[in-house]
C-alpha cells in the first residue's frame, strides 16, 4: 500500500514562505506524476502543481511564479516551495501520486494545513 505523508504546513503572514514536503513509502520515480492539490473551506479540491517522472513541471495559474515543485533524486520526497503567500492560499494541501497501468491509480496523503493571515 502506497503511503504519502505531508508535512511543513503552518501559519504564516501574507508575503511569507512555507515549504511543504511529501514523503512517499516507495520511489517517487515509480509514479507517472506527483502533484499537489489544495482544498479551501467550502470549495472543491483544486490542482496546484505537478511534476512528471521525466521532470516536467506544471502550475495552476494562481500559483505560477510563486510556487515551485521539486523532487529529490535520492530521496522519496517531493517538495512544494511556496513564496509570496496570500490569504487566498489558505487551504489543506494534499500530496498526490498517479500511476498509469491498465488504469489510473491515485494515491493521496492526509493533508497539511496552510493558513495565511492578512
Amino acid at each position: 500500500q502506497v503511503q504519502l505523508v505531508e508535512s511543513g504546513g503552518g501559519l504564516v503572514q501574507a508575503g511569507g514562505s512555507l515549504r511543504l514536503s511529501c514523503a512517499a513509502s516507495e520511489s517517487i520515480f515509480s509514479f507517472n506524476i506527483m502533484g499537489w492539490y489544495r482544498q479551501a473551506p467550502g470549495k472543491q479540491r483544486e490542482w496546484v502543481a505537478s511534476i512528471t517522472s521525466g521532470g516536467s513541471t506544471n502550475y495552476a495559474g494562481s500559483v505560477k511564479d510563486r510556487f515551485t515543485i521539486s523532487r529529490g533524486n535520492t530521496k522519496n520526497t517531493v517538495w512544494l516551495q511556496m513564496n509570496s503567500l496570500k490569504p487566498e492560499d489558505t487551504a489543506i494541501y494534499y500530496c498526490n501520486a498517479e500511476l498509469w497501468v491498465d488504469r489510473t491509480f491515485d494515491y493521496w496523503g492526509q493533508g497539511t494545513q496552510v493558513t495565511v493571515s492578512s
Side-chain angles (χ1 to χ4, degrees):
Q1 180 72 15
V2 175
Q3 291 186 333
L4 303 173
V5 179
E6 303 96 333
S7 62
L11 174 64
V12 64
Q13 288 189 332
S17 298
L18 281 175
R19 189 192 197 202
L20 304 183
S21 298
C22 171
S25 59
E26 56 187 80
S27 172
I28 59 175
F29 295 95
S30 63
F31 302 105
N32 296 89
I33 294 181
M34 297 289 299
W36 287 93
Y37 288 71
R38 66 187 182 186
Q39 187 166 18
K43 295 187 177 182
Q44 289 189 331
R45 189 173 298 188
E46 64 174 358
W47 168 74
V48 174
S50 60
I51 184 167
T52 68
S53 56
S56 297
T57 58
N58 283 288
Y59 300 91
S62 60
V63 307
K64 196 173 183 180
D65 298 327
R66 298 189 299 122
F67 291 11
T68 302
I69 188 171
S70 61
R71 64 186 180 188
N73 288 328
T74 58
K75 295 183 179 180
N76 294 337
T77 304
V78 175
W79 295 280
L80 184 69
Q81 177 66 43
M82 306 186 295
N83 298 329
S84 302
L85 283 162
K86 304 175 181 180
E88 50 263 43
D89 294 319
T90 295
I92 299 175
Y93 283 71
Y94 297 91
C95 181
N96 170 264
E98 280 190 26
L99 176 62
W100 307 336
V101 189
D102 52 341
R103 63 181 178 90
T104 299
F105 291 84
D106 259 318
Y107 303 97
W108 295 92
Q110 82 290 348
T112 185
Q113 176 71 48
V114 171
T115 303
V116 184
S117 63
S118 56

